[in-house]
Structures are given as structure tokens and as C-alpha cells.
């Protein structure tokens, strides 16, 4: 457990690699017929889960001196997916592994077996794959076949991304969204990464006569890349951007891409609208000045930002509104309930109305014990709330941070923070 004391964070911090980008690049590299090298300055438990799973699907992967070397290999007779608690690893690799191996054993830990896999499993069944049961751990049998896939867009964009990554191994394949596509930017990131590795996907926008469709033609083949750079992570840069906006101190994050297609790049607009100032110097981003304007955030396209933005809302006088958060109930925790409880436990004022959450900020909290419910993003939020808390914030389940940001507390203290491990 870590205890975080009220201090003013300031200074410069390096961005960490974008986890969403790394997952996709590693998979593309493993599916190419030629080797790749990927520049990855840090790893995490989720990224490690994808690398371990790709090794169990036949790739030779080494990570040394911030470079991942991927040598594709023939798929084994029986493949494995070893996602630990990474929902991204599981959902992306279910169709990918079934495109490679006739039999795949699928593991899962923590809350992952409870997270939704339908209608992905039903579509995979319709295309030749059988499952020993409907929730992992399970065994898949039968190679995935190409053709026409129909998928709802309001459960998980990762269903689309997984099918897109599998499609080049299947021959001509079309994937149609039967509803509006939520978290669309993650699908865009998949398409962009696939294009970087040689795959062009034909995208037809939705019209009155036809739903949105993604088509991959015959003879599509991934190609290896040399020294492929993983972008800086906007989801985790948001921590430091929020910290600066909460206190008015300046924090600079290096190695960011202002033109990224990552969903959480929206944090730039949110921080600016709150009253803080963003400036750029090349790829270095600086946030300065305090946020003073309450937030109104539609979580439909950026649900992962809710926890850190809840801390920002507590620092701003007035009521902030976060709407359309239904899918947050399906994350590592029920994040709507978990965020509401976190705010309340640390002395804030919060209410829920259906899938919306409203936080009335006063600029200060009391602090105390924060139950992070084994959710890495709740650890981040609890630490940020310590910046405006009278008493230290003790983060129960703080080890969950290794899922995405193992060096979080080290980086926190590099910015003049005060985070100490307690027993």
C-alpha cells in the first residue's frame, strides 16, 4: 500500500509508451512473415501479457535495452492466450489466435472472466470456432473462417479491432457495425497501426442505406518494420496534465504526439476548457495554470479518463457532470460505482443518476483510505486526490498500478511528490 501526501508536483517527466498502440504493433509484427524491431521505452503487466501470449502462439519475442525484437514463427499445434487481467490482450487475440491455430487454450485472471465477450464469441462460432464454455478459462477449437461478420458497436471496440487484426489471415472479410461505434478512436488506432505494417482496410462510412463496414481483401499480408516507434501514452499523460491543472504548477511531458489518433488525446481539449493552459515545444507538452471551470464530459468516446478527471472535478468549485458512462461498469471494476465511492470516502460530494455521475467540487478533500478495488486507474485517481487533501491518502490495492504504469510512484516522486510505501 502506498500513502500519498499533499505536495505540489512540478517539473518535467518523460511520457510512457501508449499501451493501446503497443498491443496492436506487437500483434501486427507477430503476424508479419519478416522480423520487426519495436522501440518501447517501458513495459507493463498488460503489455507483457500480450508478448507472453504471442510467444505462446509461435512468435520469438525478446525485450532488451528498450527494443522489442519480434521474429514470427509457425503457430503451434495448440496455442495459448495468457492475458492475466488484460481485457485488451484477450479481446484482440481471441480472433487472431483462432486465425492461426486449430486449438487454443485461453486463460484469464481477476475480474476478466466476468467482462463481456458477446457477441464476439457468437460471431466466431458462426465462422467455425467452438468454445468449451462461454467465459474464460476455456478452449477454442476450429480455425476462424473469413466472410461477413456483423458486430454491435456499443459493447467494446476491441471486438472490431480483434477481427480486423485477424482478417488478413482469413482472406476476403467484411466487418459491419450494426450500431453506432463507440470508442471509435481505438478502431482508428488499429487501422493506423495495420497500415503502418502494410495492411490497407477499406472503410465505408454508415449511410441511410448501409451500416458502417470495414473490408480486408484477399492477398493482404502484414510486413515487418524496423525500429517502429510506439507513441507516448495520452491516457497516462492525462495524470500529469490533471495534476498541473489541479494545483496551478507547471508540468511538462516529453515525447507526445499532438496529432495522435489515441482516444484520450481529448484530454487536451478538456484541460483547455477547464481554464488551464497548454503549450507545445516540439513533442513536449506543458500544462500550467489552475482549472477553474467545471467539467461537462461525454464519456462515450473517452471512458478511461473518468477516474483522473474525477480528481480534477474535486479541485474545481461547482458541479461537474460525466454522462454516458454505462461501459465503465464493465472495466477492471465497476468504475462508475468505484469512482463515486472513492470521491465520497475521501470527503467529496458526488451523486449518481443512472449511468451519469456528478461531482460537486470545493477545491479540497479530507483524505483517508482510498479503496482502489484492484483497478490501476483508481490508484491514479486516488493519488491525484491527495494533492488537495488535508490528510494523506492511503491507496489500498496500489499494486494494481503495475497493470499499466509500474513506475508510477517513482515518477510521482521525481516530480517532487511524496508517495511512500507503507505496510
Amino acid at each position: 500500500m502506498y500513502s500519498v501526501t499533499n505536495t505540489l508536483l512540478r517539473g518535467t517527466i518523460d511520457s510512457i509508451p501508449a499501451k493501446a498502440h503497443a498491443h496492436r504493433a506487437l500483434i501486427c509484427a507477430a503476424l508479419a512473415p519478416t522480423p520487426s524491431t519495436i522501440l518501447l521505452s517501458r513495459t507493463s503487466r498488460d503489455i507483457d501479457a500480450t508478448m507472453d501470449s504471442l510467444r505462446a502462439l509461435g512468435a520469438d519475442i525478446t525485450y532488451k535495452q528498450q527494443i522489442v525484437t519480434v521474429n514470427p514463427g509457425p503457430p503451434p499445434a495448440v496455442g495459448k492466450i495468457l492475458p492475466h487481467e488484460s481485457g485488451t490482450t484477450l479481446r484482440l487475440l481471441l480472433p487472431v489466435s483462432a486465425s492461426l491455430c486449430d486449438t487454443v487454450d485461453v486463460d484469464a485472471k481477476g475480474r476478466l472472466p466476468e467482462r463481456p465477450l458477446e457477441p464476439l464469441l457468437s460471431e466466431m462460432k458462426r465462422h467455425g470456432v467452438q468454445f468449451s464454455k462461454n467465459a474464460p478459462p476455456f478452449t477454442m477449437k476450429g480455425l476462424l473462417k473469413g466472410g461477413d461478420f456483423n458486430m454491435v458497436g456499443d459493447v467494446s471496440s476491441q471486438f472490431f479491432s480483434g477481427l480486423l487484426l485477424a482478417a488478413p489471415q482469413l482472406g476476403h472479410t467484411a466487418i459491419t457495425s450494426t450500431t453506432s461505434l463507440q470508442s471509435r478512436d481505438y478502431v482508428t488506432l488499429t487501422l493506423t497501426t495495420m497500415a503502418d505494417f502494410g495492411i490497407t482496410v477499406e472503410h465505408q462510412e454508415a449511410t441511410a442505406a448501409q451500416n458502417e463496414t470495414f473490408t480486408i481483401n484477399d492477398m493482404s499480408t502484414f510486413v515487418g518494420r524496423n525500429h517502429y516507434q510506439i507513441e507516448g501514452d495520452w491516457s497516462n499523460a492525462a495524470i500529469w496534465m490533471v495534476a498541473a491543472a489541479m494545483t496551478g504548477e507547471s508540468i511538462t511531458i516529453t515525447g507526445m504526439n499532438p496529432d495522435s489518433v489515441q482516444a484520450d488525446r481529448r484530454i487536451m481539449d478538456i484541460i483547455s476548457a477547464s481554464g488551464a493552459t497548454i503549450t507545445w515545444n516540439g513533442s513536449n507538452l506543458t500544462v500550467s495554470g489552475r482549472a477553474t471551470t467545471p467539467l461537462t464530459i461525454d464519456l462515450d468516446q473517452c471512458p478511461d479518463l473518468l477516474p483522473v478527471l474525477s480528481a480534477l472535478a474535486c479541485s474545481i468549485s461547482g458541479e461537474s457532470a460525466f454522462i454516458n458512462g454505462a461501459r465503465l461498469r464493465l472495466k477492471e471494476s465497476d468504475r462508475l460505482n468505484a469512482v463515486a465511492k472513492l470521491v465520497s470516502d475521501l470527503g467529496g460530494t458526488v451523486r449518481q443518476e443512472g449511468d451519469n455521475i456528478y461531482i460537486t467540487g470545493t477545491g479540497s478533500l479530507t483524505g483517508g483510505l482510498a479503496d482502489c478495488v484492484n483497478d490501476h486507474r483508481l490508484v491514479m485517481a486516488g493519488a491525484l486526490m491527495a494533492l488537495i487533501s488535508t490528510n494523506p491518502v492511503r491507496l489500498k490495492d496500489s499494486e494494481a498500478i503495475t497493470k499499466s504504469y509500474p513506475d508510477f510512484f517513482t515518477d510521482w516522486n521525481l516530480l517532487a511528490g511524496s508517495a511512500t510505501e507503507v505496510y
Side-chain angles (χ1 to χ4, degrees):
M1 178 189 297
Y2 270 82
S3 177
V4 184
T5 302
N6 182 331
T7 54
L8 294 177
L9 301 189
R10 62 173 72 90
T12 300
I13 199 76
D14 293 335
S15 63
I16 69 171
K19 185 160 62 83
H21 189 199
H23 285 303
R24 289 157 173 79
L26 287 163
I27 293 169
C28 291
L31 293 172
T34 55
S36 295
T37 53
I38 297 173
L39 305 182
L40 186 72
S41 60
R42 312 190 203 189
T43 185
S44 67
R45 194 167 58 185
D46 277 10
I47 295 173
D48 289 344
T50 291
M51 288 196 284
D52 287 343
S53 297
L54 292 172
R55 291 183 185 107
L57 293 171
D60 179 16
I61 299 176
T62 58
Y63 180 51
K64 186 176 182 181
Q65 297 180 336
Q66 302 184 348
I67 297 176
V68 183
T69 301
V70 181
N71 286 293
V78 178
K80 294 182 180 180
I81 303 176
L82 307 167
H84 193 65
E85 296 183 49
S86 172
T88 305
T89 302
L90 177 63
R91 288 166 171 165
L92 297 187
L93 286 181
L94 279 173
V96 168
S97 64
S99 74
L100 301 172
C101 302
D102 185 68
T103 302
V104 182
D105 293 327
V106 181
D107 196 11
K109 303 293 184 186
R111 196 167 183 252
L112 191 53
E114 304 169 28
R115 297 176 67 181
L117 291 176
E118 286 292 353
L120 178 61
L121 298 194
S122 291
E123 276 299 279
M124 291 179 65
K125 290 174 185 176
R126 197 167 69 85
H127 288 261
V129 181
Q130 297 178 333
F131 297 83
S132 61
K133 56 181 184 175
N134 290 326
F138 53 52
T139 297
M140 302 189 298
K141 288 188 177 293
L143 285 171
L144 186 66
K145 298 178 176 63
D148 295 325
F149 290 81
N150 296 308
M151 186 61 57
V152 298
D154 56 358
V155 177
S156 175
S157 65
Q158 293 167 353
F159 296 163
F160 283 86
S161 291
L163 289 171
L164 285 166
L165 290 162
Q169 292 76 249
L170 305 180
H172 183 82
T173 295
I175 306 160
T176 298
S177 179
T178 58
T179 68
S180 62
L181 183 55
Q182 296 180 344
S183 291
R184 169 180 301 279
D185 292 333
Y186 287 102
V187 175
T188 302
L189 179 60
T190 302
L191 297 174
T192 301
T193 308
M194 291 175 69
D196 289 343
F197 283 82
I199 298 292
T200 299
V201 178
E202 180 184 334
H203 178 209
Q204 182 171 332
E205 299 278 0
T207 66
Q210 183 171 330
N211 291 327
E212 186 171 12
T213 302
F214 304 88
T215 304
I216 297 87
N217 294 313
D218 291 332
M219 308 302 293
S220 296
T221 304
F222 288 102
V223 296
R225 290 291 305 273
N226 191 36
H227 290 87
Y228 183 77
Q229 180 69 59
I230 300 300
E231 287 186 354
D233 191 284
W234 278 102
S235 300
N236 288 309
I239 305 164
W240 312 122
M241 296 172 71
V242 165
M246 289 176 69
T247 66
E249 294 290 325
S250 293
I251 295 177
T252 298
I253 306 109
T254 68
M256 299 303 298
N257 176 11
D259 300 317
S260 172
V261 299
Q262 293 176 50
D264 289 345
R265 74 189 185 283
R266 286 178 171 80
I267 189 65
M268 288 188 287
D269 295 332
I270 294 168
I271 292 292
S272 295
S274 75
T277 300
I278 293 176
T279 56
W280 284 92
N281 181 9
S283 63
N284 299 335
L285 164 70
T286 299
V287 177
S288 58
R290 284 199 63 168
T292 56
T293 303
L295 311 172
T296 300
I297 307 297
D298 186 338
L299 296 167
D300 182 70
Q301 297 295 335
C302 56
D304 289 340
L305 288 179
L306 173 64
V308 296
L309 289 178
S310 70
L312 182 59
C314 289
S315 76
I316 300 170
S317 295
E319 184 177 85
S320 292
F322 302 90
I323 63 173
N324 293 327
R327 286 180 303 127
L328 282 156
R329 300 191 185 282
L330 307 174
K331 298 289 186 175
E332 285 84 342
S333 65
D334 178 339
R335 282 193 184 146
L336 282 182
N337 284 338
V339 165
K341 185 175 187 301
L342 180 69
V343 172
S344 179
D345 286 351
L346 296 182
T349 300
V350 59
R351 76 180 194 278
Q352 291 187 75
E353 294 180 2
D355 296 323
N356 305 331
I357 187 169
Y358 301 89
I359 297 171
T360 301
T362 62
S364 66
L365 296 167
T366 56
L369 181 64
D371 186 356
C372 300
V373 295
N374 199 36
D375 187 330
H376 58 132
R377 300 206 185 274
L378 270 291
V379 178
M380 301 169 187
L384 286 167
M385 290 178 188
L387 298 177
I388 57 170
S389 293
T390 305
N391 302 303
V393 171
R394 291 172 290 122
L395 300 167
K396 182 182 177 183
D397 290 339
S398 56
E399 63 276 5
I401 198 66
T402 60
K403 178 178 174 65
S404 61
Y405 199 160
D407 297 326
F408 173 72
F409 291 109
T410 299
D411 284 357
W412 184 274
N413 290 339
L414 284 173
L415 290 172
S418 178
T420 56
E421 195 166 8
V422 296
Y423 301 93

